[in-house]
Amino acid sequence: MHSPGPLPVNIPPARYYYFNDRIVDAHAPLLQLQDLGLFRGYAVFDFLRTQGGKPLLMERYLQRFRHSAEAMRLTLHLPDATLAELIRELIRKNGFAESGVRLLLSGGYSPDLFTPAEPNLIIRIEPYTPAPQSSYTQGARLVTDEYLREWPAVKHTNYINAIRNQPRVLAAGATEVLYHWQGQLSECSRSNLFIAKGGTLITPPLQQVLAGVTRGQVLRLARAAGIPVEERPLKLEELWQADEAFITATTKRVMPIVQIDHHTIGAGTPGPLSRHLLELWEREVEGKM
Amino acid sequence: MHSPGPLPVNIPPARYYYFNDRIVDAHAPLLQLQDLGLFRGYAVFDFLRTQGGKPLLMERYLQRFRHSAEAMRLTLHLPDATLAELIRELIRKNGFAESGVRLLLSGGYSPDLFTPAEPNLIIRIEPYTPAPQSSYTQGARLVTDEYLREWPAVKHTNYINAIRNQPRVLAAGATEVLYHWQGQLSECSRSNLFIAKGGTLITPPLQQVLAGVTRGQVLRLARAAGIPVEERPLKLEELWQADEAFITATTKRVMPIVQIDHHTIGAGTPGPLSRHLLELWEREVEGKM
């Protein structure tokens, strides 16, 4: 099997970010050093992308960003409508064909480096390059790691374990690392997991994973198409017996998985349910004909 | 029981930090926004303090800082001797009676915000105020939380759970939050835990906790004084049956604990072993007569 490999690392830089109250030069030195996000990992973020140059499902991402901020007692002063307008302006000014939009809210300049202060807000625009087509036609790979994600309901910035695993991911020609803990599957470091078994779609419940926006849309599309769906705890052994597996993420959409560690999933090629859901996604969400 | 309460939050700011290759104004905007420590929580740190104006046990803290950096594949270019000289110069320039010295090494300006880049190094000087004497004469309180710390051997910056618990800590008039997981005790958010039972000192082993510099010194002092010591897994129930408990940390030294949640520990006053070890600490490590 040819591996589609990782996404390219050397991406061109953005020219403009938003920082607290204004649009700024992306590479200017702007942050004071005593930020709580930097010194204590105390920050939340979110990430959305454009489709045809327009932010896709933006209101859902902004809603989740605000939920994460509130859970960590960080005040997001700007209303969603203002954030949406700023995001549109930044996308225009940076001028990429397609953009990724990363929002970050940190614990701010904390005198004791422990008590959250007035948050720092950053909006970062990145050029968005879709995954190579081979990831969808041939399927992608995962590696696994036994790891319990901290507070998965909140999109905080702790990606230590994901970055720690990245050399293994790259060495295996994989796309992602899949987490399990005491025999239970949860999610990938930056994607949600689904399996298909006997025509039923199964994915771990929201108590155990981040509420992926793509995950939510795929569940909605599946239910509307009459596909049986179960949101329930999923055992690692069930993965090895699955007919199909796929992951969902903002950048990856519905990406079929054909190999995990040394296990081949199903027939080793993208399965019919994965392909059907990708088609539904492209038609219903992305608006492709 | 009168509670000693938390340390003061409103501390005077430092005037000088060190940033990458020079001494800088502490509050200048210096950091570009796309730092991996900020966006992915990918950074390590360490913290030491002065005693009589001189850095205490500095070589051990620098050794641990380098160990944390290496574990996270971050290169600390400056040798320990250069770091030590910089730290002494920063302490002099800031001119506090006693100083805390915080070193941070982040994953740097990462174009894809995932792959570690050239690290950013920060050295921050803080005024150090010892805990109030009542913490030692009357003892301090803890609250507990069921939490499994990620990668405890490395002093990374993930303090989300510690900060999340801080309102509970303050409301209880406590000093720290103590972590346990599936019936096993580990450590506090910023301190190590010891108990005494039948004249023996017991503390969880290094597989489960950070290698506290103060912890290591207290173990050394105890062994030299002929006090029996066990480094072994410690059950939560053992805490409720303990004769004494105390925590060790750079800022807290050997601090007796007399209440944890609604449980009184031992007689509810600092025990003889805790007091003995604090005396040994002051005499042998701090050089007090």
Side-chain angles (χ1 to χ4, degrees):
Chain A
M1 193 191 73
H2 168 74
S3 163
L7 294 176
V9 165
N10 294 311
I11 50 177
R15 291 160 61 204
Y16 303 104
Y17 286 11
Y18 182 83
F19 181 57
N20 285 337
D21 55 5
R22 62 195 193 282
I23 290 176
V24 298
D25 180 83
H27 290 264
L30 287 164
L31 202 69
Q32 296 180 35
L33 299 180
Q34 74 278 21
D35 185 86
L36 202 61
L38 181 62
F39 271 89
R40 296 293 189 183
Y42 202 81
V44 296
F45 78 107
D46 222 299
F47 182 83
L48 60 105
R49 68 171 175 92
T50 61
Q51 175 71 33
K54 294 194 171 62
L56 192 67
L57 302 166
M58 178 158 54
E59 70 287 354
R60 289 174 197 271
Y61 289 95
L62 293 179
Q63 190 175 37
R64 185 173 65 182
F65 186 49
R66 192 170 298 274
H67 163 80
S68 297
E70 284 170 1
M72 283 182 47
R73 306 192 309 274
L74 299 174
T75 304
L76 182 55
H77 293 293
L78 299 180
D80 285 6
T82 308
L83 287 172
E85 189 43 53
L86 283 169
I87 288 168
R88 289 195 192 92
E89 185 178 350
L90 279 171
I91 290 169
R92 271 197 304 273
K93 278 183 79 88
N94 280 287
F96 298 122
E98 296 287 3
S99 303
V101 179
R102 193 176 296 272
L103 300 114
L104 182 112
L105 194 70
S106 82
Y109 303 139
S110 169
D112 67 352
L113 281 183
F114 205 74
T115 309
E118 180 64 23
N120 282 312
L121 172 67
I122 299 171
I123 307 175
R124 180 189 202 250
I125 303 294
E126 309 164 6
Y128 168 65
T129 311
Q133 195 54 28
S134 59
S135 301
Y136 302 95
T137 54
Q138 300 177 29
R141 298 178 190 182
L142 305 177
V143 295
T144 65
D145 188 33
E146 186 157 23
Y147 175 67
L148 181 67
R149 193 172 219 167
E150 178 173 342
W151 210 2
V154 170
K155 204 166 170 73
H156 54 68
T157 51
N158 177 14
Y159 280 70
I160 292 174
N161 197 64
I163 294 173
R164 188 183 182 188
N165 270 288
Q166 192 64 355
R168 283 182 60 222
V169 169
L170 296 179
T175 296
E176 261 276 34
V177 54
L178 172 61
Y179 296 142
H180 57 96
W181 182 256
Q182 297 181 335
Q184 299 271 322
L185 288 159
S186 55
E187 59 193 318
C188 295
S189 77
R190 295 182 284 179
S191 321
N192 288 109
L193 174 77
F194 288 75
I195 70 163
K197 181 70 180 177
T200 295
L201 215 54
I202 313 167
T203 193
L206 286 186
Q207 292 80 353
Q208 300 174 355
V209 300
L210 182 75
V213 171
T214 309
R215 174 189 181 279
Q217 292 294 307
V218 165
L219 285 172
R220 182 181 65 76
L221 292 170
R223 287 181 174 122
I227 300 166
V229 168
E230 296 178 7
E231 291 181 79
R232 64 161 173 85
L234 192 54
K235 292 203 179 84
L236 185 58
E237 301 95 76
E238 292 182 85
L239 186 59
W240 312 136
Q241 308 301 325
D243 301 328
E244 302 180 36
F246 61 87
I247 58 176
T248 59
T250 300
T251 55
K252 298 183 186 76
R253 311 184 300 159
V254 179
M255 186 178 286
I257 300 298
V258 295
Q259 189 176 335
I260 301 178
D261 295 338
H262 297 296
H263 300 261
T264 299
I265 302 300
T269 53
L273 209 50
S274 308
R275 283 187 277 116
H276 182 43
L277 284 163
L278 178 61
E279 284 165 18
L280 286 174
W281 172 272
E282 290 182 333
R283 196 171 67 213
E284 304 288 332
V285 181
E286 296 182 348
K288 290 181 185 164
M289 294 309 288
Chain B
M1 193 190 74
H2 170 75
S3 162
L7 295 175
V9 165
N10 293 312
I11 50 178
R15 291 160 61 205
Y16 303 103
Y17 286 10
Y18 182 81
F19 181 57
N20 285 336
D21 55 6
R22 63 193 192 283
I23 291 175
V24 297
D25 179 83
H27 291 264
L30 288 163
L31 202 70
Q32 296 180 35
L33 300 180
Q34 73 278 21
D35 185 87
L36 202 61
L38 180 63
F39 271 89
R40 295 293 189 183
Y42 202 81
V44 296
F45 78 107
D46 221 300
F47 181 83
L48 58 106
R49 68 172 175 94
T50 60
Q51 175 71 33
K54 293 194 173 61
L56 191 67
L57 303 166
M58 179 159 52
E59 69 287 354
R60 289 174 197 270
Y61 289 96
L62 293 179
Q63 191 177 36
R64 184 174 65 182
F65 186 49
R66 193 171 299 275
H67 164 80
S68 296
E70 284 170 0
M72 282 181 46
R73 306 192 308 275
L74 298 175
T75 304
L76 181 55
H77 293 293
L78 298 181
D80 284 6
T82 306
L83 287 172
E85 190 41 54
L86 284 169
I87 287 168
R88 288 196 192 90
E89 185 178 349
L90 279 172
I91 289 169
R92 272 196 303 274
K93 277 183 79 86
N94 280 288
F96 298 122
E98 298 285 5
S99 304
V101 179
R102 194 176 294 273
L103 300 113
L104 181 112
L105 194 70
S106 82
Y109 303 139
S110 169
D112 67 352
L113 280 184
F114 205 75
T115 309
E118 180 63 22
N120 282 312
L121 172 67
I122 299 172
I123 307 175
R124 180 189 201 252
I125 303 294
E126 309 166 5
Y128 168 64
T129 311
Q133 196 54 28
S134 60
S135 301
Y136 301 96
T137 55
Q138 300 178 29
R141 299 178 189 182
L142 304 178
V143 294
T144 64
D145 187 33
E146 186 157 23
Y147 174 67
L148 182 67
R149 194 170 218 168
E150 177 172 345
W151 209 3
V154 169
K155 205 166 169 73
H156 54 68
T157 52
N158 177 15
Y159 280 69
I160 292 173
N161 197 63
I163 295 173
R164 188 183 182 188
N165 270 288
Q166 191 64 355
R168 282 182 60 221
V169 170
L170 296 179
T175 296
E176 261 276 34
V177 55
L178 172 63
Y179 296 141
H180 58 95
W181 182 256
Q182 297 182 336
Q184 299 271 322
L185 289 159
S186 56
E187 60 193 317
C188 294
S189 77
R190 296 182 285 179
S191 320
N192 288 109
L193 174 77
F194 287 76
I195 70 163
K197 181 69 180 178
T200 296
L201 215 54
I202 312 166
T203 193
L206 286 185
Q207 292 80 354
Q208 298 174 355
V209 301
L210 182 74
V213 171
T214 309
R215 173 189 181 280
Q217 293 293 307
V218 165
L219 285 172
R220 182 180 65 75
L221 293 170
R223 288 182 174 121
I227 300 166
V229 168
E230 296 178 7
E231 292 181 78
R232 65 162 174 81
L234 191 53
K235 291 203 179 85
L236 184 58
E237 301 94 75
E238 292 182 85
L239 186 60
W240 312 137
Q241 308 302 324
D243 301 328
E244 302 180 37
F246 61 85
I247 58 175
T248 60
T250 299
T251 55
K252 299 182 185 79
R253 311 183 301 157
V254 179
M255 186 177 287
I257 300 299
V258 295
Q259 190 175 335
I260 302 177
D261 295 339
H262 297 296
H263 300 262
T264 299
I265 302 300
T269 53
L273 209 51
S274 308
R275 282 187 278 117
H276 183 43
L277 284 164
L278 179 60
E279 284 164 19
L280 286 174
W281 172 271
E282 289 182 336
R283 196 171 66 214
E284 304 288 333
V285 180
E286 295 182 350
K288 290 181 185 162
M289 295 308 288

